[in-house]
Amino acid sequence: MTDATSAPASPPSRRARVRAPELIGKGGWLNTGEMSYTLADLRGRIVILDFWTFCCINCLHVLDELRELEEKHRDTVVIIGVHSPKFVHEAEHQSVVDAVERYEVHHPVLDDPELATWKQYAVRAWPTLVVIDPEGYVVAQHAGEGHAHAIEKLVEELETEHAAKGTLRRGDGPYVPPEPVATDLRFPGKALALPGGHLLVSDSTRHQLVELDADGETVVRRIGTGVRGFGPDSFSEPQGLALLPDGTVIVADTVNHALRTYDPVSGAIETVAGTGRQWWQGSPTEGPALEVDLSSPWDVAWWADRVWIAMAGVHQLWTYDPATGTVGVAAGTTNEGLVDGPAAEAWFAQPSGLAAAGDRLWIADSETSALRYVERAGEGERAGEGEGEGDGFVIRTAVGAGLFDFGHRDGAAGQALLQHPLGVTALPDGSVAVSDTYNHALRRYDPAAGEVTTLATDLREPSGAVLVGEDIVVVESARHRLTRLRLPDEAVDVEAVAHRTQRAATEVAPGALTLDVVFTAPTGQKLDTRYGPSTRLLVSATPPELLAEGGGAGTDLHRELVLADGVTEGVLHVSAMAASCDDDPANEYPACHVHQQDWGVPVRVDDTGTSRLTLVLAGLGA
């Protein structure tokens, strides 16, 4: 999420003796039975700090990656989530409490709303993992996804080393699970009106679908075991729901990286797309639906004779065609940001809500706090290159300014602000309702007037809504319920607020700027060069005019950039990937792993600024 020079084989950088800074967080500790901890309290244990924020899909991927390691090494390893907010809503303590339960975080969490510990550890991106040895020294840092195997190998080395030294302390960790709360729904995601008048809800934290009576409260049946899994009758944090022409429901089975269908008549559940594995750079982007990996599909909609998928995990839109049984990329480059234009060239940032409305497909693009849409290209308008599924379509933005601007402001769409919306609903008059999640509000955008208004406030993390007659039923995710509202004739008057992310800009000198992405292959592995370069670096900027030289793709993790004269601030977008494999000549089929991260680095040009920017993908920086 928005928020490296490859190293030759050498003595492990983890031997550097860097004392870990103390853990500080104004919000206090969660999952510890109200106990507070210092690093001294954890001496003798291997500590893994997971710097995360709950809006970040990459952070959610890492939570899932760490589950096995957490269970396997629970007597030697203590994972501590350091919650470091991007959005104002994420700095609210109760919101962090909710997120810890919502995403089944089973380790202590330090709530750091002022980014104090983030700054002490010089973190630049969500997610970042820092490993601290039993004597209290930082021994490794990893940004992004795909590092669990490397960290497990390091943990095993540290266990052996410190057991021999007598500095390893085994035993139960500080995790204390919270008391469970009885409710019919628990952090529901999306809702769908079934033809018979009932409502179907994705009960995300309980890994089920729930059918409710027309009153939106009475449980008719539960679908799925309620245990996280990828079996024939289980889900893993399902989200989006859409009715298909044949009467079945297609489900975005988000953490299973799959699409499933549910037949309300027979009760049958079938996997129709995805392998259960997460998509990585270099994986196929089209083909038979059951053979192509997906990445955190968050919502689905039937539009233009196929299922459109908000593929939050890779910042793209994909499509699934039931007639041919195929999937493919329809829009987006995997770069994270807000860029309109031909579908194949557009940038998204965790698209999380979809709504079909005639000749437009509306998109809640959550990380850019934007409302966007897909439509067919006009006459003479270039719509894409090649023959991909997105040819003939263009992406446009109705509301939203980019990754770092958000708030609650009504009025003309060009200056209106949202805050991390997760849902969008087409209304009968041609306007759309936006589930403005982090503003706890339901907003309305009127394309004819170009105006944004507020329909309702005092909702708790609304994540979706569905029309039922003259009412709109809102999924109040953090209140664990559906709330029925009569669509108002007039807008609610709210005080306008605008925010920018709390992250401080990096002061950089004008002119030449050296970019180094640090990547050290894990012990026992080497860069995989069997099929060509094993590293990839993509650099761009917002605004594009910030970069005079050095943008574009390449294979070297070192890049000389030149900042343009006259542009004083902006964001550098850096995407890095490295592939490493087991370094064993006797092994004909070595295990290989992909490490990747996207950084959005706010920069401010100043004569006293640095002329070198170092980002750590894996290893230790200077």
Side-chain angles (χ1 to χ4, degrees), residues 207-293:
H207 315 296
Q208 290 182 313
L209 308 181
V210 177
E211 185 177 337
L212 300 176
D213 202 346
D215 61 9
E217 297 179 4
T218 305
V219 175
V220 175
R221 65 176 57 88
R222 296 184 181 275
I223 300 100
T225 63
V227 177
R228 183 192 297 272
F230 195 34
D233 57 352
S234 56
F235 300 95
S236 187
E237 298 182 31
Q239 287 284 341
L241 307 166
L243 196 64
L244 299 185
D246 65 1
T248 61
V249 175
I250 193 155
V251 182
D253 195 4
T254 304
V255 179
N256 277 328
H257 309 294
L259 299 186
R260 321 287 291 280
T261 55
Y262 164 65
D263 186 338
V265 177
S266 69
I269 299 170
E270 181 182 355
T271 302
V272 295
T275 63
R277 298 183 300 269
Q278 183 184 341
W279 187 94
W280 291 94
Q281 290 285 353
S283 300
T285 57
E286 61 181 1
L290 291 171
E291 299 175 15
V292 177
D293 299 339

Side-chain angles (χ1 to χ4, degrees), residues 26 47 133 156 197 209-210 215 252 269 301 303 315 348 371 406 470 476 485 504 546 589 601 617:
K26 187 176 180 180
V47 177
D133 73 13
E156 291 170 351
L209 308 181
V210 177
D215 61 9
I269 299 170
W303 186 68
H315 318 301
F348 299 94
L371 174 64
F406 52 91
E470 296 183 356
E476 275 200 273
L485 302 173
L546 175 65
Y589 303 103
V601 183
L617 179 59

Side-chain angles (χ1 to χ4, degrees), residues 55-190:
C55 71
C56 163
I57 192 66
N58 311 91
C59 300
L60 303 186
H61 290 167
V62 167
L63 283 175
D64 208 47
E65 288 178 6
L66 293 176
R67 293 186 199 279
E68 184 177 347
L69 182 147
E70 188 169 27
E71 178 60 32
K72 185 176 179 180
H73 297 274
R74 63 170 52 255
D75 66 331
T76 59
V77 171
V78 175
I79 297 177
I80 295 175
V82 182
H83 190 268
S84 313
K86 170 187 174 180
F87 290 99
V88 170
H89 170 63
E90 293 173 312
E92 299 172 6
H93 182 69
Q94 184 58 48
S95 300
V96 182
V97 173
D98 289 342
V100 168
E101 180 189 352
R102 179 195 297 268
Y103 298 116
E104 296 184 311
V105 180
H106 292 163
H107 50 249
V109 172
L110 177 64
D111 181 10
D112 182 18
E114 297 177 346
L115 303 179
T117 298
W118 166 288
K119 294 170 186 173
Q120 287 293 309
Y121 281 82
V123 174
R124 288 185 178 274
W126 297 276
T128 291
L129 298 168
V130 175
V131 182
I132 302 171
D133 73 13
E135 295 179 290
Y137 291 92
V138 174
V139 291
Q141 180 173 326
H142 302 265
E145 304 177 49
H147 301 294
H149 70 285
I151 291 176
E152 180 166 15
K153 184 175 288 290
L154 176 56
V155 164
E156 291 170 351
E157 293 174 6
L158 291 171
E159 287 175 340
T160 300
E161 175 185 339
H162 287 273
K165 291 174 65 176
T167 51
L168 182 69
R169 178 167 57 89
R170 295 180 180 270
D172 293 335
Y175 170 65
V176 177
E179 290 293 325
V181 180
T183 53
D184 287 332
L185 303 174
R186 206 69 192 161
F187 297 105
K190 307 287 186 182

